[in-house]
Amino acid sequence: METAGTETLIWTGSYTADRNGNGEGIGAITLDIDGKLTSLGLAVPANSPSFLAIHPTLPVLYAVAEEGKMVRAYRRTGTAELEPMGEPWPAGEAACHVATDPHGRFIVVTCWGDGQVILYELDHDGAITSRTSAEAAVDPHQTGPTDEPRPSRAHSSLMLPDGRVMTTDLGHDLARVWRYEPGQGLLPDHHVILPKGSGPRHMVRHPSGTVFIDTEYSIEVAALRAEPQGVYELTAVVPASVNKAFHGDSAAEIAMSTDGRFVYVGVRGSNRICVLKVGAQGTDVTPLADVPSGGDWPRHHLVHNGWLLVAHEGSNDVLSFRLDPETGLPDGPLGRMETGSPSVLVPAA
């Protein structure tokens, strides 16, 4: 995480006019040790760069254009400035997430609109050089010809320590695991079936190896564990909230405390952050408390250096909360900054 004195630089994605948002592109903000948030302005104009990912070693950032069905690399040119790096590459309908391989070999884009999972290989400068679509998902809950077809909705990817990649499909209630083959893209390894209608969305990996997934539709957290052979299994599904889910709610981001003791799930609609405690072995979670997010439509949140930052798409702001290291509970908000339709918060590296 890059710090300038006592401040941390954070890139912000946004929704822009092409998706009825108030953003202008990729922005830059700083977080200081007291939780104060300061805008550094627009890093580069872009159309609905709703999700961002940084290269692990180079001053390069990747952004999806959700409405434009593209992904593009950007090169850092100053403290908080970016410039386009090469031409945009085509993605799928409603490309909503991008993640980088920790070795800098590729990025993966997942597309909510048409279910595509797409791998883009990178060169030594971090530029995109190729594009390969992975095998389409098949709905495991479609048991007969009379069942109503459900669209595939790929939503996020997670890089696993052994080099494999896990992706979620909230339309088909799947977590899929892939092997990367240079020149061939992502090849199917195996998949895990989640309860029908749950809607697996985003993921976070615990140091113990458990992958926790928040479910957009059922407002739950699913735990996946790998057997010694590397095959993941669904081991638990628990409510994200100590309270019930309210009409119109949908889960958004899931994040973990630095020490792995707590998990945080954002819920849009009722606008809260659900705090869950991780079990001693890291294999399960238990709902602990619900805290108001402090704004409207918490699309994304970030845990960093003892702070919880929440990006509210609806109220056009980012808020900071101090996290109690013992209880895991947020205190605040202690800082607030206005910015148009924020959609993601990514610390600069």
Side-chain angles (χ1 to χ4, degrees), residues 9 85-86 132 138 164-165 170 180 214 274 276 302:
L9 178 66
M85 181 178 175
T132 308
V138 176
R164 293 182 298 173
V165 179
L170 65 80
Y180 166 61
D214 70 328
C274 301
L276 298 94
L302 168 70

Side-chain angles (χ1 to χ4, degrees), residues 204-207 212 254-265 275-278 301-308 323-329:
V204 66
R205 184 182 180 276
H206 190 267
F212 294 115
I254 182 169
M256 184 176 294
S257 62
T258 305
D259 59 11
R261 295 172 56 214
F262 303 98
V263 165
Y264 303 90
V265 175
V275 185
L276 298 94
K277 186 172 178 56
V278 181
H301 60 270
L302 168 70
V303 174
H304 177 70
N305 283 351
W307 292 93
L308 172 71
L323 293 175
D324 186 300
E326 295 303 318
T327 67
L329 298 179

Side-chain angles (χ1 to χ4, degrees), residues 101-217:
D101 165 51
H103 303 290
R105 299 168 296 175
F106 58 83
I107 60 173
V108 175
V109 172
T110 43
C111 306
W112 182 87
D114 56 16
Q116 284 196 72
V117 175
I118 309 171
L119 183 138
Y120 302 81
E121 291 186 317
L122 308 174
D123 66 16
H124 294 300
D125 294 323
I128 300 172
T129 61
S130 68
R131 175 191 189 277
T132 308
S133 288
E135 182 178 294
V138 176
D139 189 349
H141 295 284
Q142 181 112 19
T143 58
T146 59
D147 288 353
E148 185 72 24
R150 303 191 305 165
S152 171
R153 301 221 182 272
H155 211 288
S156 68
S157 60
L158 176 70
M159 306 298 163
L160 301 173
D162 60 9
R164 293 182 298 173
V165 179
M166 183 180 288
T167 62
T168 57
D169 192 309
L170 65 80
H172 286 173
D173 301 306
L174 281 172
R176 298 199 284 170
V177 180
W178 310 85
R179 304 185 316 275
Y180 166 61
E181 292 292 340
Q184 299 182 56
L186 295 176
L187 304 180
D189 189 285
H190 67 281
H191 65 257
V192 182
I193 302 172
L194 278 76
K196 186 176 183 180
S198 58
R201 180 180 169 93
H202 283 190
M203 300 171 279
V204 66
R205 184 182 180 276
H206 190 267
S208 68
T210 304
V211 175
F212 294 115
I213 306 176
D214 70 328
T215 58
E216 178 169 336
Y217 301 144

Side-chain angles (χ1 to χ4, degrees), residues 238-257:
V238 302
S241 171
V242 293
N243 301 297
K244 66 178 182 178
F246 297 98
H247 179 71
D249 273 356
S250 61
E253 176 68 328
I254 182 169
M256 184 176 294
S257 62

Side-chain angles (χ1 to χ4, degrees), residues 218-257:
S218 62
I219 324 294
E220 295 172 311
V221 175
L224 274 59
R225 293 280 295 178
E227 298 177 337
Q229 297 80 11
V231 176
Y232 282 85
E233 291 186 345
L234 178 65
T235 58
V237 180
V238 302
S241 171
V242 293
N243 301 297
K244 66 178 182 178
F246 297 98
H247 179 71
D249 273 356
S250 61
E253 176 68 328
I254 182 169
M256 184 176 294
S257 62

